[in-house]
Amino acid sequence: MPTRSTPILSLLTEDLLIQVNEKLVQDSDRKKWRLICKEFHRVDSLARKTLRVLHVEFLLTLLKNYTNLHTLDLSVCPRIEDGTISLLLHHVDHSIWARNLKCLNLSRANGLKFAGLEMLVGACKGLESVDVSYCCGFGDREAAAISGCEGLRELRMDKCLGVGDVGLAKIVVGCGRLERLSLKWCMEISDLGVELLCKKCLELKFLDVSYLKVTSESLRSIASLPKLEDLAMVGCPYVNDVGLQFLEIGCPSLQKIDVARCDCVSSSGLSSLIGGHSGLLHIDAGHCFSEVSPTIVKCIQKLKNLNTIIIDGIQVSDTIFQTISSNCNSLIEIGLSKCEGVTNMGIIKLVSGCVNLKIINLTCCRSIADAAISAIANSCRNLLCLKLESCNMITGKSLEQLGLHCLLLEVLDLTDCCGINDRGLERLYRCSRILCLKLGLCTNISDKGLFYIASSCPELQELDLYRCQNIGDDGLAALSSGCKKLRKLNLSYCVEVTDKGTKSLGYLEELSDLELRGLDKITSVGLTALVTGCKRLIYLDLKHCEKIDDSGFQALAYYSRNLRQLNLSYCAITDMTLCMLMGNMTRLQDVDLVHLTNVTVEGFELVLRTCCFRIKKINIHTV
């Protein structure tokens, strides 16, 4: 008699299934795995370490199913508030899901206040990383709740506008083990708070005080931190050279410094800082002073291990490039955006010695031509990112050299490079790893160029075609066939695109950000076909798409419930459809409704009543 075959699943132990599950990197692959059978779903529940919750109504069920979480991300869940946390802790045994939790992301959770935070911190005893960035309503009481995380190592509080010195004092007293702290845009924090921080948190390795109204006295305190490796102080208007001189003799472990847009910092102050730290790896001094002084050039000679230098907006000369080339052979990134004095010869000198460069930003360096790009391509074979926006002398010859030699290229910005045409894009055919390509304002690009991109760049995730007016439906059909991983696409003012083209975009299942501004040939038929296929849309711009009527917006309301940003300005939507749209989109946070001539005052009032409790920004200005 024939024997029954043994089910293959019975031969695979739980450990083996977990190992297989861990090899699935893409969310789509993990979703397919979970749907195969109950056993795979159970294994996924056991193996899942990270959870990003999109809808608050599913939070209870998800935490019951995923009990071994390391990271919980609630940053895109707009309705998290104290009551949500109370319900969660009473209905789900937090001793199970919270026991292993190390990282908690509450960014933009404006509805969460002191009581909810205190309950959450009390339940998650092992937290090591917390992010409450952009919780603009957070104040000192909320900071006091966070201070209950005794084992906290990392805290991000960017733009917590209500947190002052008292709140910071609570945190540093309760969380003395902090190693990474970001206070960007916390405008109420002063020198006093920074001084206490530096006395209590001696383990700090990263500190961001960007845009604070602190003075050089804060840098005197910061200079006492023995383990500080990375200091960011972008846009601090009251910090001057005296403060940098404090750092010169302090912070013995300093490796990275960012003083971009510090208006009172001069080349002399930066020279002092560099002079005291010959082991610096990263310097960002963009838009600080007018030109690179001879003193700085001399100091750079000592930075043998420097891997990043960003001097955006500063007057340079060929001398600085020769110095960097001769002394900084480990350089990986250089930022020269909007620098005056960048020449072909300077770039040729730079790359002759810095052959390890992976990131080069030449935005608005208008004197750069094919000779410089050819030198970059021939010397920097490991180049990953090249930004050439508004370098109008660049032609297809540059792309030919990049296509021959820079096969690892991932990001290429050619915005407003009018010398780039379809033939040039064809020459990039060997750069198959490109993830981001920006061609906005390249008016000589047509559908033929998109065919070359679609056939050569299967990994493409972001494409900008802003005002490429020769792009039409055929190009989008090729794109939707060859670039299945596309997530961000800008087609604003590509006026030849019609419903046929938007229907093609509906096959891009990964698409999350789409700009269709000013496409006056798109109707409700095209929009319906688009949103039916693109279920992952998060950002959609339909400004001046005036031929779309209520039927298209009704389809948008039904299929695109994950949208977080939406621009409907100058569209033909009416009262009832707008109310339905705003009621259905429970994750919508930012919406522009400017000059909607078919919407009445009563309609706007009803919209505000429908969504005011969860929307964060709404623009309804009329003209």
Side-chain angles (χ1 to χ4, degrees), residues 1 13 36 40 106 114 154 159 177 187 198 224 287 295 312 342 360 362 369 526 548:
M1 293 179 63
T13 65
I36 291 173
F40 281 13
L106 297 169
F114 169 76
E154 179 177 6
K159 216 164 190 179
R177 299 179 186 176
M187 305 297 290
C198 297
S224 66
H287 303 284
T295 308
D312 298 343
V342 179
I360 302 175
L362 296 172
I548 299 174

Side-chain angles (χ1 to χ4, degrees), residues 176-463:
R177 299 179 186 176
L178 275 175
E179 296 179 3
R180 300 179 62 83
L181 178 62
S182 183
L183 300 170
K184 187 187 300 183
W185 288 110
C186 293
M187 305 297 290
E188 297 300 315
I189 292 176
S190 70
D191 292 336
L192 184 62
V194 175
E195 181 183 6
L196 182 60
L197 168 69
C198 297
K199 287 180 178 179
K200 294 292 185 181
C201 297
L202 298 179
E203 299 295 315
L204 274 177
K205 295 180 180 179
F206 167 82
L207 178 61
D208 192 340
V209 293
S210 298
Y211 303 104
L212 269 60
K213 296 178 181 179
V214 295
T215 70
S216 293
E217 284 302 308
S218 284
L219 294 192
R220 185 199 297 270
S221 303
I222 291 170
S224 66
L225 292 171
K227 298 183 179 181
L228 191 67
E229 298 175 358
D230 188 344
L231 175 61
M233 38 184 282
V234 179
C236 291
Y238 304 114
V239 170
N240 55 31
D241 292 346
V242 174
L244 296 189
Q245 289 167 7
F246 290 140
L247 294 179
E248 176 187 3
I249 57 176
C251 296
S253 302
L254 195 64
Q255 297 178 1
K256 299 177 68 175
I257 182 72
D258 188 346
V259 294
R261 301 187 184 278
C262 290
D263 296 335
C264 293
V265 168
S266 73
S267 58
S268 174
L270 186 59
S271 298
S272 299
L273 174 63
I274 295 174
H277 297 87
S278 59
L280 278 174
L281 302 178
H282 178 114
I283 298 173
D284 189 340
H287 303 284
C288 268
F289 34 82
S290 58
E291 62 181 356
V292 177
S293 68
T295 308
I296 289 183
V297 175
K298 187 176 180 180
C299 288
I300 287 176
Q301 296 176 8
K302 303 176 183 178
L303 301 178
K304 303 297 183 182
N305 298 318
L306 190 68
N307 59 42
T308 300
I309 183 167
I310 299 173
I311 47 176
D312 298 343
I314 297 176
Q315 177 79 33
V316 297
S317 66
D318 291 350
T319 305
I320 182 68
F321 296 126
Q322 182 62 62
T323 301
I324 293 173
S325 176
S326 301
N327 298 278
C328 306
N329 302 131
S330 300
L331 201 67
I332 295 174
E333 177 180 359
I334 187 165
L336 301 167
S337 173
K338 299 182 181 179
C339 284
E340 296 291 336
V342 179
T343 65
N344 289 330
M345 183 55 64
I347 296 301
I348 292 171
K349 288 180 179 179
L350 172 70
V351 298
S352 65
C354 299
V355 297
N356 296 313
L357 277 167
K358 294 182 179 180
I359 303 173
I360 302 175
N361 188 349
L362 296 172
T363 298
C364 294
C365 294
R366 302 181 190 277
S367 298
I368 291 300
D370 292 334
I373 306 306
S374 178
I376 290 173
N378 279 281
S379 297
C380 307
R381 301 296 178 93
N382 294 320
L383 192 67
L384 298 178
C385 175
L386 180 61
K387 297 184 178 182
L388 299 170
E389 180 180 347
S390 297
C391 294
N392 293 315
M393 298 176 68
I394 300 297
T395 72
K397 293 180 180 179
S398 292
L399 300 192
E400 182 177 15
Q401 292 300 309
L402 292 172
L404 286 173
H405 303 298
C406 299
L407 306 187
L408 302 180
L409 197 63
E410 295 180 354
V411 177
L412 181 59
D413 188 348
L414 298 169
T415 304
D416 198 21
C417 292
C418 56
I420 299 301
N421 56 23
D422 294 336
R423 179 63 177 163
L425 293 180
E426 182 183 15
R427 293 169 179 172
L428 285 173
Y429 72 97
R430 295 180 67 195
C431 298
S432 59
R433 298 191 182 186
I434 289 181
L435 302 177
C436 174
L437 181 60
K438 296 191 176 184
L439 298 169
L441 298 170
C442 292
T443 53
N444 294 317
I445 300 296
S446 71
D447 286 343
K448 190 175 182 180
L450 281 194
F451 278 108
Y452 295 135
I453 293 171
S455 61
S456 304
C457 306
E459 302 298 318
L460 193 66
Q461 296 180 10
E462 181 176 353
L463 179 62

Side-chain angles (χ1 to χ4, degrees), residues 6 68 80 282 426 482 519 522 539 588 610:
T6 304
N68 293 317
I80 294 293
H282 178 114
E426 182 183 15
L519 303 193
I522 293 179
Y539 169 71
L588 198 62
T610 301

